[in-house]
Amino acid sequence: MLAGLIQNWKIYVAKFSALAMLGFVAIINCFIGLLPLADNFSSIGGFLSGILLGVVVLFNPQLSIMERKKGLFDYDLNKSVKLKQKLDKPIPRIIAFLMFVTILAGGLVAVIWGINANHYCSWCKYINCIPTEKWSCNERAPACEAMVSDGRLTLMCLFGDKFRTFPFDNISKERIDELCSITCS
């Protein structure tokens, strides 16, 4: 919608109210994304993809051609708008398409290789969740391997070299998860 608004800026009558409404929706989505179990990074990725693909796909309507027809939803309208008119502004379209492909390829490579961007950006975790008194942003339990032998419980973190050994006296699964969280944090 933002790409359509930018491309057709001259056509809109209430430009700033449309822009304010889009901004309001984006701000609401960002606040919802700060809650636990909601992901702001997917919203940001969708926002950027939408803008870039909107620049690539949308075209400026030819108002003089539309005025001669019966209405905006006339079936013959597609025949009257030529391919040359649909593909106006080829340089911004090509740049937007290349940026989209680059971002998509970079994201896919990061996912496939298991790159955690939080190792390179310490404040990025606050884009996704802000911890408060009512919730914690660490909803996922750290992955541990538990081994019991000779009356001892050994917890080894699957990511990293941390481990701890505890005396084993019929420890519940919940307590093992708590100890795993303490060991791996």
Side-chain angles (χ1 to χ4, degrees):
M1 290 178 68
L2 184 60
L5 178 65
I6 292 170
Q7 280 187 322
N8 302 317
W9 186 257
K10 294 177 184 176
I11 297 172
Y12 277 87
V13 177
K15 300 170 183 162
F16 295 105
S17 63
L19 192 61
M21 189 165 99
L22 286 175
F24 178 72
V25 169
I27 289 170
I28 294 296
N29 281 335
C30 285
F31 279 123
I32 290 172
L34 292 176
L35 297 172
L37 305 176
D39 193 6
N40 254 352
F41 286 107
S42 63
S43 295
I44 293 169
F47 182 73
L48 290 176
S49 297
I51 290 175
L52 293 174
L53 288 177
V55 170
V56 172
V57 174
L58 295 176
F59 67 95
N60 292 334
Q62 303 296 321
L63 293 179
S64 60
I65 294 172
M66 286 185 194
E67 289 171 359
R68 283 186 266 147
K69 296 293 178 182
K70 296 176 187 173
L72 186 61
F73 299 104
D74 190 16
Y75 290 112
D76 294 333
L77 182 63
N78 290 335
K79 294 177 185 174
S80 65
V81 178
K82 297 177 183 173
L83 182 64
K84 182 180 177 184
Q85 293 168 336
K86 287 183 181 180
L87 296 179
D88 61 339
K89 303 177 186 173
I91 301 297
R93 288 176 186 272
I94 292 170
I95 291 171
F97 181 71
L98 291 175
M99 286 174 63
F100 172 74
V101 169
T102 303
I103 292 171
L104 181 65
L108 287 174
V109 166
V111 167
I112 290 170
W113 286 356
I115 296 172
N116 186 356
N118 288 328
H119 293 298
Y120 304 103
C121 177
S122 62
W123 57 269
C124 287
K125 61 184 174 186
Y126 297 114
I127 291 174
N128 226 10
C129 182
I130 297 177
T132 65
E133 295 174 359
K134 297 187 183 217
W135 65 74
S136 169
C137 294
N138 298 325
E139 294 294 327
R140 292 179 285 169
C144 283
E145 183 177 341
M147 295 179 291
V148 178
S149 64
D150 298 329
R152 301 184 77 71
L153 171 69
T154 303
L155 296 174
M156 293 178 51
C157 296
L158 296 179
F159 304 106
D161 298 333
K162 296 179 181 179
F163 70 94
R164 280 196 179 164
T165 304
F166 302 95
F168 183 72
D169 293 330
N170 294 329
I171 301 176
S172 67
K173 173 71 173 138
E174 291 81 21
R175 181 64 180 150
I176 290 175
D177 290 341
E178 289 175 14
L179 292 173
C180 179
S181 177
I182 291 169
T183 302
C184 294
S185 60

